[in-house]
Amino acid sequence: ACERRLAEYLGFKYCVALHSYNSAFFLALKAVGVRGGATVLISSLAGSWVSIATMEAGGKPMPVECGFGSSLDPNDLVWKARTSGARHLVLSHLHGHISADLDQLAQVCAEYGIAVVEDAAESLGSWFDGRH
């Protein structure tokens, strides 16, 4: 019941609750195809659990610098997207704040074929441009 109600609140069809950050990230990274040494872009401010789960899933974490307000630096994101060969990004929304201009981030990730896994554990229910 909890998962169904959370999915409804957030406007998603499904929701899965897990017992830890590591389990959630491991499952999400495997679901988007991380394996075999794949480079995974992560926020330089993300907790150690993001790097640990990335390595457990078979990936190599590569930090993306952050700027004002814990947001990903769009210039560093573009540079690393272009030069690293990464096909995955874990976007950690920290301290109740959305950690990037999501529209700009979606455009960059679409251009470079990067799948985004959003970590909203510290900002569950936050809004960006009128949506969760």
Side-chain angles (χ1 to χ4, degrees):
C2 175
E3 292 167 325
R4 180 183 48 75
R5 292 185 69 197
L6 183 58
E8 289 171 2
Y9 172 71
L10 295 174
F12 293 108
K13 189 172 183 178
Y14 302 106
C15 175
V16 177
L18 298 168
H19 74 287
S20 71
Y21 275 129
N22 274 18
S23 294
F25 285 121
F26 177 82
L27 182 63
L29 292 171
K30 284 302 200 181
V32 297
V34 172
R35 56 186 52 78
T39 299
V40 178
L41 302 175
I42 65 171
S43 167
S44 63
L45 297 177
S48 61
W49 56 87
V50 176
S51 292
I52 292 167
T54 299
M55 291 183 286
E56 287 176 344
K60 292 184 321 185
M62 175 179 282
V64 175
E65 294 302 321
C66 292
F68 181 74
S70 304
S71 291
L72 289 183
D73 178 337
N75 296 321
D76 195 44
L77 175 61
V78 168
W79 183 75
K80 288 187 174 152
R82 184 176 40 232
T83 61
S84 71
R87 294 293 170 252
H88 306 91
L89 166 70
V90 174
L91 179 61
S92 298
H93 301 299
L94 303 169
H95 316 296
H97 301 284
I98 301 300
S99 298
D101 177 330
L102 297 180
D103 294 328
Q104 180 184 30
L105 180 128
Q107 183 178 15
V108 169
C109 289
E111 181 178 340
Y112 292 98
I114 297 174
V116 179
V117 174
E118 288 188 76
D119 163 17
E122 292 186 29
S123 60
L124 191 61
S126 293
W127 292 83
F128 175 79
D129 198 23
R131 61 189 189 260
H132 284 291

